[in-house]
Amino acid sequence: MSKLVCMGELLIDFQSKGSGALKDTDEFVKKAGGAPANVCVQAKRLDCDCMYLSQVGNDAFGEFLIDTLNGEGVDTRFVRKNDRYDTSLAFVSFGAGGERQFAFYRKTAADLYFTPEQFSEVVFDRGDMLEFGSVALSTAESRAAHDYVIDKAKRGGALVCFDPNLRFNLWNDRDELRQVVLDYAGKADVIKAGDDELAFITGQSNADSGAETLLGMGAKMLAMTRGAHGAKLYLSDGKTYDCAGFKVKAVDTTGAGDSFFGGLIAELMRLGVTADNIYNFDYRDVLEFACKCGSYTTTNYGAIAAMGLRQNIIKVGK
């Protein structure tokens, strides 16, 4: 059976109770988070075989995160504990429409200092997929580990999926962030980016032009999300697909993009999409289902806690 391998940060989201500015928040609720982890769990809830690669501190928060992924049925044998570094923390508050404000505590995050050797036993086969983002790419150590795993994935015949997931307050230099994202976009087969992220990365204000620029670097597929306005899928052979999205009562947008990407990847795996046959499919239903995944997640609080099973997701918009 083909598997999805997700790699990157694994952190605690301390989410505010109620809405308002972060500085005014008095109470928080502890949740498991990290964009690749969210993608992994959504795909697992859609019946994919899933594995996670990361590192946490040897502390109670790290144990909680591993327990959470284990409880979802994700393979965590390559989530290491480290005595030297800490489990990453993020504090999140919500505006009236579900908009978020973040404060990250990641200067000593364990997921920034994993090494290639920790993943030497990870094996990729044709039909597998690898997914990762940019949050855990801000150190040379982490980039070396990602490069090692990406190379293994490509040699094994896996499809490489990348979500820039821009978090500007985690980088000292926006130009460095842009260059790192462009470097890793050039290694990917499938990219997911928000319309605002696409504009920043490519310098193109026109989405279609930005998509053409990014696909011109080697990717075969780009999924551009537009928040409540749905998403557009671009293939490097010129085909495009568009979904206007689904109207729901959103209370928290945390994890919506991750849920979208998890749903998209799960559908690609269900179809048996590989780098060799990626242009052979009609992706209209795939894009619609991915949009439903993202919309469904906004109807409840949290990321992992709000993600749906297939039988729930397919009811969105009906």
Side-chain angles (χ1 to χ4, degrees), residues 50-269:
C50 295
M51 174 185 291
Y52 204 66
L53 314 183
S54 191
Q55 183 170 248
V56 295
N58 189 14
D59 51 41
F61 288 143
E63 291 178 6
F64 167 76
L65 291 168
I66 293 172
D67 288 348
T68 299
L69 291 184
N70 284 336
E72 294 288 341
V74 173
D75 184 344
T76 62
R77 79 184 93 163
F78 295 107
V79 179
R80 310 298 193 186
K81 293 181 180 179
N82 191 295
D83 290 317
R84 182 177 179 184
Y85 298 106
D86 303 317
T87 300
S88 183
L89 307 178
F91 290 80
V92 190
S93 66
F94 307 102
E99 301 84 4
R100 298 163 294 163
Q101 181 183 5
F102 290 95
F104 291 96
Y105 292 81
R106 286 182 51 77
K107 291 181 180 179
T108 58
D111 58 66
L112 293 175
Y113 297 100
F114 40 47
T115 64
E117 292 75 21
Q118 290 175 286
F119 309 120
S120 61
E121 296 180 10
V122 177
V123 176
F124 289 94
D125 298 305
R126 179 179 170 81
D128 289 348
M129 294 196 180
L130 168 68
E131 190 272 344
F132 66 101
S134 73
V135 169
L137 291 174
S138 61
T139 62
E141 293 90 337
S142 182
R143 289 195 290 271
H146 277 79
D147 291 344
Y148 174 78
V149 173
I150 291 167
D151 182 64
K152 290 189 83 170
K154 286 183 173 291
R155 286 190 284 109
L159 207 64
V160 177
C161 307
F162 177 49
D163 175 8
N165 189 34
L166 303 179
R167 293 289 181 264
F168 295 111
N169 55 344
L170 293 178
W171 295 75
N172 294 324
D173 186 338
R174 288 195 175 202
D175 289 335
E176 180 189 9
L177 170 58
R178 180 186 288 107
Q179 189 57 56
V180 168
V181 168
L182 288 171
D183 289 345
Y184 282 89
K187 303 174 190 286
D189 299 300
V190 179
I191 300 173
K192 190 277 286 184
D195 48 4
D196 55 340
E197 293 178 317
L198 186 62
F200 170 80
I201 295 164
T202 66
Q204 301 276 353
S205 57
N206 179 274
D208 292 342
S209 298
E212 184 178 356
T213 297
L214 210 53
L215 289 172
M217 299 179 63
K220 298 174 175 65
M221 176 184 288
L222 167 67
M224 182 191 70
T225 57
R226 302 176 301 215
H229 303 292
K232 187 171 183 178
L233 195 68
Y234 300 84
L235 297 178
S236 59
D237 68 351
K239 295 189 186 75
T240 62
Y241 301 87
D242 203 305
C243 178
F246 298 90
K247 188 175 180 59
V248 295
K249 185 178 180 181
V251 296
D252 177 11
T253 59
T254 304
D258 304 331
S259 181
F260 171 93
F261 207 22
L264 180 74
I265 290 171
E267 289 298 279
L268 296 181
M269 294 183 70

